[in-house]
Amino acid sequence: MSHKNISRRTMLRGACGAAMALPWLEAMGTAAPMITSANSTIARKAAAGPPVRMAFLYVPNGMHMQDWTPSGNSETKFELQKIMQPIADFRDQMNVFTGLTLDGAFAHGDGGGDHARSVASFLTGSHPKKTNGNDIRNGQSVDQVAAERIGHLTRLKSLELGTQDSAQAGQCDSGYSCLYTSNISWRTERSPLAKEINPASVFDRLFGDDDGPQLDPRSMARRERDRKSVLDFVQQEAKILSNNLGVEDKRKLEEYMYAVRDIERRLASTEKLDENERDVPDAPRPVGVPAEYGEHVKLLFDMMTLAFQTDSTRIISFMYSNAGSNRPYKNLSIKDGHHNISHHGGSREKQAKISTINHYHVTLLRHLLTRMSNVREGGGSLLDNCMVVYGSGIADGNSHTHKDLPICMFGGGGGTVKTGRHLRLKSGTPLTNLYRSMLERVGAPVDKFSDSNGIVNLS
């Protein structure tokens, strides 16, 4: 394995079906050529280095907008408010958008159900059919548009993650199927993609051997009993590879393997949620998932980082909770359900609690951004080669409004996104315009997506 010709798909393989994808190394050369688009400058620039990835992070029940929207009238000279203070260090690597609208989430004559519509529309831009039966209809989501076009370049077309299971049936919001409230990723207008909520299962997907022999039940039991690290299985190949790498790539490989072992240790030691736990009355989590919500989110964010770092996938969606989640946040001394207090009715006490929950979610986001920024890749970081959208399909949870949404994006899109800005767009600008701009940068350009009527200029 000469450092001049290491394939992007090189994997370290070991006994018992263990396999490890590698992080992007200088020895692998440039990323696969991007699909050309109308804006060939963007395509060429993104194709010159590591692959460009995108992730979509959804938070439920809207935002306390007074503590979200940056102050100041300048695009580049703005002040972050309380909710985004935990990520102030990433101010120069983010764009905050004001004016984006999710038209598909409005009632359009269908009455109640804003929470269901806000989730179903968030990545599709579509207006879901109001039904709790089998005749669901929504639209293809932006992540799956990308997966259709570039998913063949990676082991996994996409990853769908979250902290609460995706429902298979039932009524959850004013006549809307629970399928709408618990899925943001839709392969087709009738086929939502269920989320994986167990970090250990995600780890197995990333480091299982799709091509080699699979672990038989006896080997799996022995490995679990011995807490054998995947690194122990592949260490011989890793040593051979390291001997053929340059200094910088050796450092990257060492950091990557340290990160994998650290996550394995945390997965092995994490306290599990008791099956009778009822802290989340609307959707209890099964045994095998971390008991503490914050640790659960952080472990899934670590899985996201590894998935991007190893180019196992370039497309990820994540839900902090399902629509209308009534999770209490006892770690914040908030015993009330999140959904209940989002209907604050003007109560200052409830608004303060909503702001505190919003602030906490951003604190968890900081973990992901920190992890990604610490991974060196090309001439910058993994975050520099990503586009991470964070936000909700509802602005104020009390009024259920779907315009001027709380949306921000992190990362440089492989050098194609100008960051450090508060972009004040014309009120009513479709959120799908932003998605069109992102699709172009990952190599999956479209002339129109859902209700888009243009693009958001990110350059």
Side-chain angles (χ1 to χ4, degrees):
M1 292 183 289
S2 167
H3 73 276
K4 295 181 180 180
N5 61 0
I6 294 177
S7 166
R8 185 67 199 88
R9 292 184 176 272
T10 299
M11 296 186 72
L12 302 179
R13 301 185 185 277
C16 299
M20 279 184 68
L22 292 171
W24 190 87
L25 302 171
E26 304 291 342
M28 293 172 177
T30 59
M34 301 282 286
I35 300 172
T36 58
S37 67
N39 193 334
S40 58
T41 301
I42 291 177
R44 284 197 301 269
K45 191 170 184 179
V52 179
R53 300 83 154 184
M54 62 181 183
F56 303 90
L57 280 57
Y58 186 89
V59 289
N61 301 324
M63 201 77 63
H64 187 56
M65 297 302 294
Q66 295 92 321
D67 289 343
W68 166 272
T69 307
S71 62
N73 297 320
S74 171
E75 181 180 285
T76 56
K77 295 180 180 179
F78 59 90
E79 297 297 325
L80 298 178
Q81 300 302 305
K82 171 188 173 183
I83 291 172
M84 284 197 277
Q85 279 302 312
I87 51 174
D89 291 348
F90 295 93
R91 183 187 180 283
D92 292 339
Q93 294 168 277
M94 69 186 294
N95 285 320
V96 185
F97 303 94
T98 295
L100 292 174
T101 293
L102 193 57
D103 184 71
F106 284 101
H108 294 302
D110 284 342
D114 289 270
H115 288 281
R117 289 191 297 263
S118 69
V119 167
S121 298
F122 189 64
L123 296 187
T124 67
S126 299
H127 182 74
K129 178 181 179 180
K130 190 166 190 175
T131 178
N132 57 22
N134 295 324
D135 55 336
I136 59 170
R137 188 175 69 251
N138 190 16
Q140 187 179 33
S141 54
V142 60
D143 60 318
Q144 293 310 301
V145 171
E148 231 178 43
R149 293 168 177 245
I150 65 171
H152 66 283
L153 299 174
T154 54
R155 291 179 63 228
L156 305 174
K157 285 187 174 182
S158 61
L159 269 179
E160 295 74 44
L161 306 176
T163 65
Q164 295 176 310
D165 277 319
S166 292
Q168 301 302 312
Q171 176 179 320
C172 279
D173 186 9
S174 304
Y176 281 96
S177 169
C178 295
L179 285 166
Y180 294 130
T181 66
S182 58
N183 296 284
I184 57 173
S185 183
W186 290 69
R187 186 176 60 83
T188 69
E189 65 176 12
R190 298 183 183 276
S191 303
L193 293 174
K195 306 185 297 294
E196 177 57 68
I197 71 169
N198 191 330
S201 297
V202 181
F203 188 91
D204 290 340
R205 288 185 67 186
L206 293 179
F207 296 104
D209 190 347
D210 292 338
D211 303 316
Q214 299 299 302
L215 285 170
D216 60 81
R218 185 173 298 177
S219 297
M220 290 179 68
R222 182 171 63 252
R223 178 175 166 184
E224 177 66 22
R225 182 177 63 251
D226 295 341
R227 299 188 183 277
K228 192 81 169 177
S229 168
V230 66
L231 297 179
D232 295 325
F233 287 117
V234 301
Q235 59 182 346
Q236 187 59 38
E237 281 204 1
K239 186 178 297 184
I240 295 172
L241 174 62
S242 181
N243 290 336
N244 288 276
L245 294 176
V247 175
E248 182 64 16
D249 279 350
K250 283 184 178 181
R251 183 189 61 78
K252 288 182 183 179
L253 183 61
E254 289 174 0
E255 289 180 353
Y256 165 63
M257 296 183 77
Y258 175 84
V260 173
R261 193 177 295 277
D262 178 64
I263 290 172
E264 284 192 314
R265 176 188 58 77
R266 289 164 59 205
L267 286 173
S269 63
T270 296
E271 179 186 359
K272 306 303 180 186
L273 181 69
D274 186 270
E275 61 182 350
N276 295 316
E277 176 65 51
R278 289 296 180 266
D279 275 354
V280 190
D282 57 338
R285 289 170 291 171
V287 173
V289 172
E292 203 276 312
Y293 174 75
E295 179 63 13
H296 189 189
V297 173
K298 288 179 180 179
L299 274 172
L300 288 170
F301 282 168
D302 289 343
M303 297 300 109
M304 289 174 61
T305 303
L306 284 178
F308 281 159
Q309 184 179 3
T310 58
D311 202 24
S312 295
T313 188
R314 298 176 187 176
I315 306 154
I316 300 177
S317 62
F318 175 83
M319 294 182 68
Y320 272 75
S321 295
N322 292 343
S325 169
N326 215 26
R327 178 192 303 276
Y329 288 81
K330 295 180 179 178
N331 61 309
L332 306 176
S333 299
I334 298 176
K335 298 179 181 180
D336 315 88
H338 185 187
H339 177 234
N340 289 346
I341 60 176
S342 71
H343 293 274
H344 52 75
S347 165
R348 290 187 178 182
E349 179 183 1
K350 290 183 178 180
Q351 290 181 71
K353 290 179 179 179
I354 286 293
S355 183
T356 298
I357 293 173
N358 298 156
H359 179 275
Y360 176 59
H361 285 160
V362 172
T363 300
L364 297 176
L365 170 64
R366 177 183 174 83
H367 178 84
L368 174 66
L369 300 178
T370 301
R371 287 280 188 170
M372 294 176 70
S373 65
N374 286 339
V375 175
R376 309 315 300 169
E377 192 176 74
S381 70
L382 176 61
L383 184 59
D384 292 330
N385 296 311
C386 290
M387 295 175 289
V388 180
V389 171
Y390 177 92
S392 181
I394 295 177
D396 176 61
N398 189 61
S399 60
H400 284 169
T401 182
H402 307 291
K403 65 178 183 178
D404 295 331
L405 295 172
I407 302 290
C408 58
M409 188 173 81
F410 302 84
T416 68
V417 177
K418 181 181 178 182
T419 55
R421 298 182 294 167
H422 178 201
L423 297 174
R424 296 170 178 83
L425 308 174
K426 181 181 178 181
S427 184
T429 298
L431 176 59
T432 50
N433 284 9
L434 173 62
Y435 296 160
R436 270 197 61 200
S437 301
M438 296 174 66
L439 286 170
E440 186 173 48
R441 284 160 171 78
V442 297
V446 294
D447 293 330
K448 184 175 177 60
F449 173 64
S450 192
D451 66 339
S452 68
N453 60 13
I455 61 172
V456 173
N457 183 8
L458 299 176
S459 302

